[in-house]
Amino acid sequence: MSAVGKSGACGAMLEEDPDQTYENVLAEIQSFELPIEATLRSVYDDQPNAHKKFMEKLDACIRNHDKEIEKMCNFHHQGFVDAITELLKVRTDAEKLKVQVTDTNRKFQDAGKEVIVQTEDIIRCRIQQRNITTVVEKLQLCLPVLEMYSKLKEQMSAKRYYSALKTMEQLENVYFPRVSQYRFCQLMIENLPKLREDIKEISMSDLKDFLESIRKHSDKIGETAMKQAQQQKTFSVALQKQNRVQFGKNIHFNDRIPEERNEVELKRAFEEEDENEEEVLTVQDLVDFSPVYRCLHIYSVLGDEETFENYYRKQRKKQARLVLQPQSNMHETVDGYRRYFTQIVGFFVVEDHILHVTQGLVTRAYTDELWNMALSKIIAVLRAHSSYCTDPDLVLELKNLIVLFADTLQGYGFPVNRLFDLLFEIRDQYNETLLKKWTGVFRDIFEEDNYSPIPIVNEEEYKVVISKFPFQDPDLEKQSFPKKFPMSQSVPHIYIQVKEFIYASLKFSESLHRSSTEIDDMLRKSTNLLLTRTLSSCLLNLIRKPHIGLTELVQIIINTTHLEQACRYLEDFITNITNISQETVHTTRLYGLSTFKDARHAAEGEIYTKLNQKIDEFVQLADYDWTMSEPDGRASGYLMDLINFLRSIFQVFTHLPGKVAQTACMSACQHLSTSLMQMLLDSELKQISMGAVQQFNLDVIQCELFASSEPVPGFQGDTLQLAFIDLRQLLDLFMVWDWSTYLADYGQPASKYLRVNPNTALTLLEKMKDTSKKNNIFAQFRKNDRDKQKLIETVVKQLRSLVNGMSQHT
């Protein structure tokens, strides 16, 4: 109870009963409850004279206690006296006992000296034993640390760095805390960071060596991967070859089929040989990836994995740029392309392996980004270098390498659609190189051709030609040997070469993962280019060559006719290869019809041109005496030679289509008529005598006789003779001297001299007038000559008036 509480309680009690209160206060004091200040204060403070009263009570209480003590002492006094008496009795015995104890102690001390010595020895041994035990315990505590550290050194020496790092972790986490108070432990702890740095440097050095190694072995890795991809598709390629043989059974020419069958058999033989060979090495067999694993694990343990990943990716990107850089002469040989592809394949095969066997070193996003960058560079390089390739065989080998390259990387999960898009660009280039190559082939065929029908002397020769070219003519089959094919040797050769071109074009279309319809379309389009551009150009160049004569041109027209008819067999040939029906809606047709028609038209035009040139050559041999007084009585020699030449030429034209021969004959007659007319009207010819006109008339009569002899069948009536009608009417006018009729009937539809132009008649008449003046200078005194001269002058004036009127009207 607190002092305040007690004071309050005592105050209350004093007010009720002072005597009882003092009793209570004394009881509290006797209870030794401290503090008592509040209790005493309440006694003195509450009532006056309280001190005196309290002291009285206190004295009474003391006296009571004294009485009680006295009573208690009186009660125990006899016992105390008895105890003292007994002690006095025992005193003598105690002294004796003390003497005995002292003596015994002395004896014990004397006897225990040796024991003490032995005991001290034992204590010393015990201490040594305890120390030894302590040392053993400490050594047992330190030995595992030393053993682990020794193990760490052995692991470092054995280059087992990942295990060494794990040992370091055990030392730091388990062993070092047990012996951290020892100095050697502190030295070990201080040495561990240096060991870790050494491990990082050594593992990074191993990684650099690994990167250098795979850079050198990338081509071997790529070659192995591409070989594996090639072996995987060998069976499907063999099936394709077999299908092609089956398609070829329906082709008209079967000389190619044994070659393909041989290819299939060779392929099967290679497959059997490959089955007996050892397994191809994998990338793990060619490259030791342990440096990468160790370095990755080491950096992971060291908590520096990000640094390792960044370094690895940076270095591999640098290597990728080096791998993607082509050699300047790569386009010259297929080996250059092969090395380029194998290095790239090797690079990405390694990255794919790293992707799948490590976690986080490279990611799919990283490899995709690297592949997209590489793919853009590869396409740019191939597009640039392939443009320099002029050999179709090299382009074809490049295509096969690109397909194998794409199939290999596609097997590792890389998208290669852009490579196949590039192949379509290269396909166009391949077709261009094929077209250039076949331009030379066609040129050589045309150079070696004799442009004469193929002679056949027996059945074997006939079958040989038929096996090369699809020719069908029942009339020729019925003829007996010897006989001739209408075409020349170039026709079957060209047909065979067109098929060879189709085969060559088909080779590029293989393995492009395209449907038969697309392949069919590609073959037909490339064949159309061959026909419409290459063959057509070669034919046109051949036709325009100066040394190609009329006979050769006639044979060329015949050849193009048969080649045109053979186009449908080429379409069947393509259909048998691709197994796509020609009735398909989107099937492209061959344009051979228009190609050979254009060539024929060009040859026909060249025939007309060369025939006219030949006529001009004969006309240039004409040597008229324009001042002769009398004709020779026979036609000129040059004209007779020209007519004989035309007869022989038109006999050759019998093999041409009727309209071509008729057109050539009509063109020749018209050109001859025009040339003769120009000869009369030549501005350099100043004078013409009547005898020369009569001689010229004899030559025109021979031309008319030639026209009427029907040198080319098929003309109706005197159609061919009309080519000389202008000359005939002009010469008749001068021979008959019927100027009055001409002038009177001029302009009338029924005029006898309707085709005689006044200007032409005036030109010729002026030449005759000048001749008449010169030859009859002394005969002008004769009356007939004077009348004739006046008549000529009169006619000349009338003709001039007529010509002037015509010019004014015009």
Side-chain angles (χ1 to χ4, degrees), residues 8 195 264 688 700 736:
L195 291 177
V264 175
I688 299 178
V700 173
V736 179

Side-chain angles (χ1 to χ4, degrees), residues 746-762:
Y746 178 76
Q748 300 296 324
S751 173
K752 181 179 179 181
Y753 305 103
L754 180 64
R755 305 298 296 269
V756 178
N757 188 289
N759 200 3
T760 303
L762 176 61

